[in-house]
């Protein structure tokens, strides 16, 4: 209420005294930077970022960006959901006036009424329609998923919202499982002559990399940014901007590859031919993989030997919009004579028709030999997500149970059209899912996620779907997916829509019952509340820094955690709550903390945290005391643990893919040949299996450019005359 806000933040309030605590940042940009908050009587009154030590190259501050430093405004925002609420014109059994979803009024109800209504509606809908009636939009599974799986399962969405084509199995052409996260040590960046940022903004995302990028700039590295708009990162680093139209990056880089070939012919020493011969397959016809089905190589494609269209700078410029000279200049930059770090973000792989973007980025780097040596690297998601930290928590994993979805697998795994065994996963594919839900049918093509390997596509299995129930778990799919007019129709066709949410998001407004959950700043010492920030820290976050998530205040208003809600609803459905969430949140947190690992310069791993009996007793957890590198209380007070570094220390001597470069036979890559495959038959066979690609123009095993179904070319009515069509604009975000 307004009175609550006034009491918590009276005019003239003292905002100087209090206790400074470390607060989590939940913006999933890849940074996980350090935020500090000043707490008075359980209320955060100020924020700041890392000032625990002097900023230096060896130990840079983990500074948060403006987005992270505005979290207080989010936590205490008027849009916070404070109480369980029911849509005024919703009725059990029928859904009431469904047309009012998204614009109805709300009524406050008690937790008991809300939980009873949720359980009775879930039970009724499953008994009436079966599990194919249910869709759940949740992030990374969890207790909500367990409830639905105990009910018989639900139809899972197979989307590439986060990483686009990077979520395909890049091991087909040589990157290790999740190998696209393998980046160079940021301490090595000072040795780069050029730092190329493709579709990347390191100031707006992963802000903690700024110190290393600034150091590289001061050491003389020249920065180049390739993307549709001149962004904040490019501005701060004074990068040369090469503009490309949205979704045309593959054409741009193919043009660069062609000009590298031509520049090598005329000037020499541009392409690292020895590197290509030793570590790759498929650039030339005399170095093809054994399983190749086509008598085609990448160089032949670039020269136009198969389609009479050389991929010249002029050809690429017409498609991507970059000036021809910029494309030729990039070819010179990527020469083997330069030390080049090529770092791409994920956005360029999130467009229609960019399935070959990850392969072409690595191919450009391979042509110049920019892998496994000082001052050279190719990776995606510029630190921190690409970077393996020297310490991490979560080695023992979260102890909550995970129940398999009965609908996720077909009865029998099959063989796809390429003759490859199919894992038979039953998933509805985005972005067709809204349309499919309205049509009542969808075709499952299997999985495309590096979280599950192997993941070859299948040739398509048709299923019926009749969506009557949606359960949203803090994931706003009505703002982060396309085809939203059909999405609204799907929501308004349902008999029941339930949302657990922190804020009054779009999915919350289109729901029937909304249940308030705490933010990641809030946590309860009461084990029965199951409310505590997660202790699992992905080891790919942070630059020599592992963060400590710890609550700064109790859950506010009437908020309860997702785990508590799932247990309560599950109990009303007749399930054992401990089967839904096996271990309470505080115990899970300390299980992860106790499994924290620190790494010495010689690669030896040892215990990260000292956890005393006093800490164990204060939190009421079952754990043995242990000795580690840093005390847990100090770890939490500081907000994490940071390794001191120095240029050329032992950590920096293991550059990206160094073991493979040193001995490729003893350390093969996961491709069929054990090398990087510029020609990958497995990639082509899998990508051409689903009914996504025109069979008249199948995708090539090498990273060719092909005209997307919806892309820049569709804005032009006459390509030869370059006459714009009726819809001349592209939208990107």
């Amino acid at each position: 209420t307004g009175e609550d806000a006034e009491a918590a933040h009276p005019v003239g309030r003292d905002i100087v005294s209090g206790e400074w605590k470390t607060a989590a940042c939940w913006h999933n940009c890849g940074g996980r930077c350090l935020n500090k908050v000043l707490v008075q009587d359980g209320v955060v009154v100020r924020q700041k970022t890392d000032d625990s030590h002097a900023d230096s190259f060896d130990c840079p501050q983990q500074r948060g960006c403006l987005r992270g430093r505005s979290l207080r405004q989010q936590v205490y925002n008027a849009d916070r959901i404070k109480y369980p609420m029911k849509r005024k014109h919703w009725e059990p059994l029928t859904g009431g006036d469904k047309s009012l979803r998204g614009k109805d009024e709300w009524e406050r109800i008690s937790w008991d009424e809300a939980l009873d209504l949720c359980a009775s509606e879930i039970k009724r809908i499953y008994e009436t329609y079966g599990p194919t009636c249910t869709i759940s939009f949740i992030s990374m599974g969890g207790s909500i998923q367990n409830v639905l799986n105990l009910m018989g399962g639900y139809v899972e969405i197979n989307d590439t919202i986060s990483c686009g084509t990077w979520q395909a199995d890049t091991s087909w052409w040589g990157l290790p499982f999740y190998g696209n996260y393998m980046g160079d040590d940021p301490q090595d960046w000072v040795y780069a002559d050029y730092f190329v940022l493709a579709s990347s903004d390191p100031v707006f995302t992963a802000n903690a990399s700024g110190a290393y990028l600034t150091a590289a700039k001061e050491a003389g590295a020249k920065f180049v940014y390739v993307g549709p708009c001149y962004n904040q990162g490019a501005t701060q680093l004074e990068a040369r901007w090469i503009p490309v139209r949205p979704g045309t990056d593959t054409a741009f880089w193919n043009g660069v590859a062609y000009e590298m070939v031509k520049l090598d012919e005329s000037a020499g020493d541009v392409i690292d031919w020895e590197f290509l011969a030793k570590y790759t397959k498929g650039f030339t016809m005399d170095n093809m993989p054994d399983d190749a089905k086509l008598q085609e190589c990448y160089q032949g494609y670039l020269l136009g030997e198969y389609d009479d269209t050389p991929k010249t700078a002029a050809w690429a410029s017409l498609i991507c919009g970059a000036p021809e000279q910029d494309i030729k200049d990039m070819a010179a930059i990527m020469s083997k004579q330069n030390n080049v770090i090529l770092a791409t973000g994920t956005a360029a792989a999130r467009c229609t028709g960019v399935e070959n973007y990850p392969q072409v980025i690595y191919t450009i780097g391979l042509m110049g030999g920019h892998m496994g040596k000082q001052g050279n690297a190719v990776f995606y998601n510029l630190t921190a997500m690409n970077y393996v930290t020297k310490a991490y928590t979560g080695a023992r994993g979260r102890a909550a149970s995970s129940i398999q979805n009965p609908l996720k697998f077909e009865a029998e795994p099959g063989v796809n059209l390429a003759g490859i065994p199919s894992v038979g996963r039953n998933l509805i594919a985005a972005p067709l899912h809204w349309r499919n839900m309205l049509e009542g049918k969808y075709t499952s093509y299997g999985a495309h996620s590096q979280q599950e390997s192997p993941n070859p596509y299948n040739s398509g299995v048709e299923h019926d779907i009749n969506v009557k129930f949606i359960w949203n778990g803090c994931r706003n799919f009505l703002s982060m997916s396309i085809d939203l007019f059909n999405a609204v129709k799907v929501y308004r066709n349902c008999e029941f829509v339930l949302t657990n949410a922190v804020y009054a998001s779009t999915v919350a407004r289109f729901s029937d019952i909304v249940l308030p959950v705490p933010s990641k700043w809030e946590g309860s010492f009461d084990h029965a509340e199951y409310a505590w920030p997660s202790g699992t820290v992905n080891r790919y976050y942070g630059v020599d820094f592992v963060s400590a998530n710890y609550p700064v205040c109790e859950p506010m208003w009437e908020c309860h955690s997702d785990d508590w809600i799932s247990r309560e609803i599950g109990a009303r459905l007749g399930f054992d709550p401990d089967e839904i969430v096996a271990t309470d949140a505080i115990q899970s947190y300390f299980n992860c903390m106790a499994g924290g690992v620190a790494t010495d310069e010689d690669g030896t791993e040892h215990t990260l945290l000292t956890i005393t009996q006093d800490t164990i007793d204060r939190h009421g957890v079952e754990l043995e005391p242990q000795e580690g590198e840093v005390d847990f209380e100090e770890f939490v007070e500081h907000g994490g643990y940071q390794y001191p570094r120095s240029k050329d220390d032992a950590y920096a001597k293991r550059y990206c893919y160094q073991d493979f470069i040193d001995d490729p036979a003893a350390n093969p890559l996961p491709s069929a040949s054990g090398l990087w495959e510029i020609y990958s038959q497995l990639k082509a066979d899998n990508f051409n299996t689903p009914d996504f690609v025109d069979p008249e123009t199948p995708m090539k095993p090498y990273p060719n450019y092909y005209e997307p179904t919806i892309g820049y070319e569709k804005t032009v009515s006459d390509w030869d005359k370059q006459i714009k069509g009726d819809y001349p604009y592209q939208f990107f975000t």
Side-chain angles (χ1 to χ4, degrees):
T1 64
E3 290 79 12
D4 292 337
E6 186 177 352
H9 304 281
V11 176
R13 181 189 181 105
D14 166 30
I15 58 169
V16 177
S17 63
E19 181 183 2
W20 283 103
K21 296 183 178 181
T22 302
C25 181
W26 51 82
H27 290 297
N28 193 27
C29 74
R32 296 296 192 271
C33 307
L34 192 60
N35 282 293
K36 293 283 189 177
V37 297
L38 184 63
V39 182
Q40 294 178 359
D41 302 323
V43 177
V44 175
V45 295
R46 296 184 71 181
Q47 265 194 260
K48 66 178 180 178
T49 188
D50 188 7
D51 59 1
S52 60
H53 60 277
D55 192 33
S56 69
F57 177 73
D58 291 346
C59 194
Q61 293 176 346
Q62 303 294 318
R63 294 173 181 163
C65 69
L66 293 178
R67 181 172 56 249
R69 283 183 275 172
S70 68
L71 287 170
R72 189 174 71 91
Q73 282 89 334
Q74 297 181 40
V75 172
Y76 298 102
N77 197 282
D79 282 344
R80 277 294 298 267
I81 298 172
K82 301 178 180 179
Y83 323 103
M85 295 189 294
K86 179 180 76 70
R87 188 169 63 83
K88 183 175 182 179
H89 293 92
W90 173 75
E91 296 292 339
L93 304 179
T94 64
D97 189 345
K98 303 172 186 176
S99 67
L100 291 177
R101 279 201 186 103
K103 53 187 177 182
D104 208 346
E105 298 177 41
W106 293 91
E107 299 174 342
R108 179 178 175 180
I109 58 177
S110 70
W111 268 108
D112 282 338
E113 182 182 1
L115 295 169
D116 289 344
L117 283 171
C118 291
S120 63
E121 281 298 280
I122 291 171
K123 186 173 187 293
R124 175 187 68 81
I125 291 173
Y126 267 87
E127 288 177 347
T128 304
Y129 302 105
T132 57
C133 69
T134 300
I135 291 285
S136 182
F137 298 109
I138 51 180
S139 181
M140 303 302 180
S143 53
I144 293 173
Q145 174 182 337
N146 287 344
V147 173
L148 298 177
N149 289 340
L150 287 171
M151 289 298 297
Y154 64 101
V155 179
E156 290 190 39
I157 308 293
N158 196 20
D159 73 75
T160 58
I161 281 175
S162 291
C163 301
T165 305
W166 288 107
Q167 285 183 244
D169 194 340
T170 52
S171 67
W172 292 331
W173 41 271
L175 288 191
F177 191 56
Y178 262 111
N180 41 330
Y181 284 172
M182 288 185 65
D184 201 13
D185 188 327
Q187 293 276 347
D188 179 56
W189 295 353
V190 294
Y191 294 107
D193 299 317
Y194 288 92
F195 207 114
V196 180
L197 299 166
S199 179
S200 181
D201 187 351
V203 169
F204 192 72
T205 58
N207 194 49
S209 64
Y212 294 103
L213 292 167
T214 301
K217 183 175 183 295
E218 292 173 349
K222 297 180 176 67
F223 281 80
V224 183
Y225 169 68
V226 180
C229 64
Y230 196 65
N231 60 32
Q232 296 176 54
T235 302
Q236 179 169 316
L237 295 165
E238 298 180 311
R240 173 181 177 177
W241 176 34
I242 299 180
V244 296
R245 298 183 177 109
T248 65
D249 302 80
T250 308
F252 170 81
W253 289 109
N254 272 301
V256 171
Y258 172 90
E259 296 299 338
M260 288 179 71
V261 171
K262 288 301 178 181
L263 187 59
D264 187 83
E265 290 178 356
S266 62
D269 279 341
V270 173
I271 295 177
D272 193 332
W273 295 104
E274 291 183 8
F275 187 94
L276 289 176
K278 185 175 182 179
Y279 301 112
T280 76
K281 289 287 185 182
F283 188 77
T284 57
M285 288 303 300
D286 60 358
N287 188 28
M288 296 292 287
D290 294 337
D291 61 353
K293 297 177 182 178
L294 296 179
Q295 290 299 307
E296 298 180 7
C297 64
Y298 185 55
Q299 180 175 247
Y301 163 74
L302 294 175
L303 298 176
E305 294 175 4
Y306 315 125
D307 57 6
D308 296 324
T309 304
K311 309 310 176 292
T312 64
W315 167 86
S317 177
L318 196 61
I319 298 169
C320 72
E324 292 182 40
Q325 190 58 52
D326 282 354
I327 297 171
K328 293 179 180 180
D329 289 348
M330 181 58 76
I333 288 170
M334 295 306 303
S335 167
K336 77 171 191 177
Q337 299 182 50
N338 298 320
N339 288 333
V340 181
I341 292 176
L342 173 55
T344 177
T346 56
R350 291 198 294 254
C351 304
T352 306
V354 293
E355 282 75 9
N356 280 333
Y357 178 75
Q359 191 183 16
V360 78
I361 281 289
Y362 269 84
T363 296
I364 290 291
L366 296 172
M367 289 172 65
H370 303 299
M371 300 287 280
K373 56 187 178 183
Q374 192 175 70
N376 292 268
V378 182
F379 51 85
Y380 106 82
N381 254 354
L382 178 64
T383 183
M385 286 185 67
N386 66 282
Y387 182 68
V388 180
T389 59
K390 301 301 179 290
Y392 57 95
T393 57
R396 297 184 189 177
R398 185 170 171 81
S401 60
S402 180
I403 301 167
Q404 180 61 56
N405 184 350
L407 293 185
K408 191 172 183 179
F409 293 91
E410 309 289 354
E412 293 289 339
V415 176
N416 68 15
L417 294 180
I420 301 169
S422 169
V423 290
R425 293 188 179 93
N426 176 12
L427 301 161
I428 184 170
L432 302 174
H433 56 292
W434 300 122
R435 195 177 314 167
N436 291 162
M437 291 176 201
L438 293 176
E439 295 168 347
K441 289 187 181 295
Y442 69 93
T443 303
S444 173
Y445 296 99
H448 47 254
S449 171
Q450 287 203 9
Q451 296 177 22
E452 301 182 57
S453 181
N455 56 6
Y457 302 109
N458 61 49
S459 55
V461 180
E462 192 169 278
H463 297 275
D464 293 327
I465 188 170
N466 183 22
V467 179
K468 298 295 182 181
F469 169 45
I470 296 176
W471 192 346
N472 300 297
C474 287
R475 195 175 188 188
N476 192 2
F477 251 73
L478 286 182
S479 74
M480 58 190 292
S481 67
I482 66 172
D483 199 17
L484 292 183
F485 289 107
N486 279 330
V488 169
K489 293 178 183 178
V490 170
Y491 269 74
R492 287 179 173 164
N493 280 345
C494 287
E495 293 182 4
F496 182 43
V497 180
L498 168 63
T499 295
N500 303 6
V502 179
Y503 313 103
S505 61
T506 312
V507 291
R509 293 197 297 271
F510 274 82
S511 300
D512 300 313
I513 290 180
V514 179
L515 305 177
V517 296
S519 71
K520 292 185 181 295
W521 280 8
E522 300 155 56
S524 174
F525 277 81
D526 182 350
H527 288 247
E529 284 293 318
Y530 291 82
W532 196 269
S534 172
T536 302
V537 178
N538 189 321
R539 69 178 299 177
Y540 296 100
Y541 288 108
V543 180
D544 299 316
F545 180 80
V546 57
S547 58
N549 294 331
Y550 197 84
V552 300
C553 60
E554 290 280 326
M556 293 184 282
W557 302 291
E558 292 186 11
C559 294
H560 284 292
S561 70
D562 286 316
D563 285 354
W564 184 91
I565 292 168
S566 297
R567 285 174 58 91
E568 291 292 326
I569 291 177
R572 286 164 170 78
L573 291 169
F575 303 124
D576 179 1
D578 289 340
E579 190 175 3
I580 296 167
V581 182
T583 308
D584 74 74
I586 305 177
Q587 184 67 53
S588 293
Y589 174 87
F590 274 93
N591 289 347
C592 295
M593 290 291 135
V597 170
T599 309
D600 292 332
E601 293 192 34
D602 62 2
T604 303
E605 292 188 343
H606 55 88
T607 302
L608 173 64
L609 295 174
T610 293
I611 302 178
T612 65
Q613 190 63 52
D614 287 344
T615 295
I616 293 170
D617 294 342
R618 184 163 66 89
H619 293 87
V621 294
E622 296 181 5
L623 207 66
E624 291 294 324
Q626 64 183 44
E627 291 290 329
E629 187 148 328
V630 61
D631 184 76
F632 171 79
E633 303 295 340
E634 179 185 338
F635 179 67
V636 169
E637 182 180 359
H638 176 64
Y641 178 74
Q642 185 163 356
Y643 267 70
R645 295 290 308 280
S646 62
K647 191 171 70 171
D648 299 326
D649 64 15
Y651 293 117
K653 292 177 181 177
R654 304 308 303 173
Y655 299 115
C656 184
Y657 300 102
Q658 187 67 58
D659 291 341
F660 169 71
I661 295 295
D662 290 345
D663 191 343
N667 302 282
L669 300 176
S671 66
S673 65
L675 305 175
W676 281 300
E677 294 191 354
I678 296 172
Y679 178 112
S680 172
Q681 192 63 54
L682 195 56
K683 182 214 76 171
D685 288 344
N686 273 288
F687 275 165
N688 289 324
T689 288
D691 187 23
F692 295 157
V693 179
D694 183 355
E696 298 298 319
T697 56
M699 192 176 299
K700 296 293 187 179
Y702 43 78
N704 66 307
Y705 175 80
Y706 59 91
E707 183 178 327
T709 305
I710 301 173
Y712 170 71
E713 287 91 337
K714 293 297 187 290
T715 69
V716 179
S717 62
D718 188 322
W719 186 256
D720 292 334
K721 297 180 180 179
Q722 287 293 291
I723 298 174
K724 277 289 184 180
D726 294 334
Y727 301 96
Y729 299 110
Q730 283 185 287
F731 173 85
F732 75 99
T733 176

